[in-house]
Amino acid sequence: NIVEGVLGGYGTPLMGPLPPGSGIESPALPDPATRIETARLILDEAGWDYEEGAGWEKDGTVMPTITIRTSSVAELKLIAAAVQADWEALGVPVEVELYEPGSLTQEVIRPRDYEALLFGEVIGRDRDLYAFWHSGQRKDPGLNIAVYANETVDALLSRIRTESDEEAKRADLARVSGLIAEDYPAAFTHAPDFLYAVPQDVRGIVLPQIAAPADRFATVATWHRYTEFVWPLLVSSK
């Protein structure tokens, strides 16, 4: 819904903390056609009852309005509206509060002052998830904004940082991804595509995995517009 409806297809739906291109298979996505029905079943199993016009109620308490706080950046505003529409289709009342990026960081994220936060994480090519998911990073200035804690994940994240064997590191990362997805401390949505327009006459552009905008220049030394024929006898064979 978000990737197609908001991003025009330029993104990848996610169910885990690692983006595509990380070498780690993402946990399976739920069926989008039945996501609302599945969510209703989860609420039913948790003891909530839904009445048309009254909303969800449990033990005499009506489900309160959930406030989503996010940045006033255009993309996040549209995504927040899509999330709001889905939750309201489920019967959950939702409000969206928008903040300037600096205000969101200082007034909302740093003091952990939110019921629901729509925010993004930038995962580098080193695939280091420590800052985002280790329990020691739950308080400011840590970046564990989900306030997530799992002792097994903590141990794995610490070991990954010192692991020199790439296969062992990949196995630990896959386990971390699966455990986080299973615990579901955050509702992962998508990894956006980076889109760059380049002149048609520029050749040799090969993009690596893009973790930050500057990564698009990683192979700039091979970019060219013109080539020149050189006789083979003039080219060194070394």
Side-chain angles (χ1 to χ4, degrees):
N1 183 36
I2 290 174
V3 170
E4 296 299 329
V6 177
L7 303 178
Y10 293 106
T12 303
L14 291 179
M15 266 298 291
L18 287 166
S22 63
I24 307 298
E25 185 177 355
S26 181
L29 294 167
D31 185 350
T34 60
R35 67 187 190 282
I36 301 298
E37 290 76 8
T38 301
R40 285 200 181 101
L41 285 174
I42 293 172
L43 288 171
D44 287 337
E45 291 171 358
W48 290 91
D49 295 313
Y50 182 76
E51 290 187 16
E52 195 68 39
W56 292 94
E57 184 178 330
K58 180 178 181 181
D59 299 330
T61 300
V62 176
M63 182 179 291
T65 299
I66 296 175
T67 300
I68 302 175
R69 295 183 169 180
T70 191
S71 173
S72 56
V73 174
E75 180 181 322
L76 290 177
K77 287 168 64 175
L78 292 172
I79 293 171
V83 172
Q84 181 182 27
D86 275 353
W87 280 10
E88 289 180 343
L90 177 62
V92 177
V94 174
E95 291 181 351
V96 176
E97 287 186 1
L98 301 176
Y99 293 77
E100 291 300 316
S103 297
L104 184 72
T105 299
Q106 297 298 325
E107 300 172 17
V108 177
I109 295 177
R110 295 193 69 175
R112 304 297 193 259
D113 183 19
Y114 44 82
E115 292 177 304
L117 176 70
L118 176 61
F119 199 65
E121 297 176 348
V122 178
I123 307 299
R125 287 195 299 273
D126 59 0
R127 302 168 297 180
D128 188 359
L129 300 177
Y130 187 96
F132 302 112
W133 298 105
H134 193 280
S135 63
Q137 303 295 306
R138 287 177 293 173
K139 296 182 179 180
D140 182 64
L143 298 177
N144 183 351
I145 56 178
V147 198
Y148 176 65
N150 181 309
E151 291 183 357
T152 302
V153 171
D154 284 353
L156 289 167
L157 291 173
S158 296
R159 186 167 71 190
I160 288 168
R161 283 192 145 189
T162 59
E163 181 61 69
S164 58
D165 184 281
E166 187 59 30
E167 288 300 320
K169 183 176 182 178
R170 186 178 292 109
D172 284 345
L173 276 169
R175 190 177 177 199
V176 165
S177 179
L179 286 170
I180 293 175
E182 182 179 341
D183 289 341
Y184 207 67
F188 300 97
T189 58
H190 69 286
D193 291 342
F194 285 97
L195 304 178
Y196 301 109
V198 297
Q200 290 185 345
D201 61 343
V202 176
R203 300 176 177 83
I205 299 178
V206 178
L207 297 180
Q209 180 188 357
I210 304 294
D215 291 342
R216 69 189 188 277
F217 296 119
T219 62
V220 70
T222 67
W223 299 8
H224 62 276
R225 274 199 169 98
Y226 309 105
T227 58
E228 183 177 353
F229 179 79
V230 178
W231 290 98
L233 58 89
L234 299 178
V235 179
S236 172
S237 60
K238 293 183 180 179

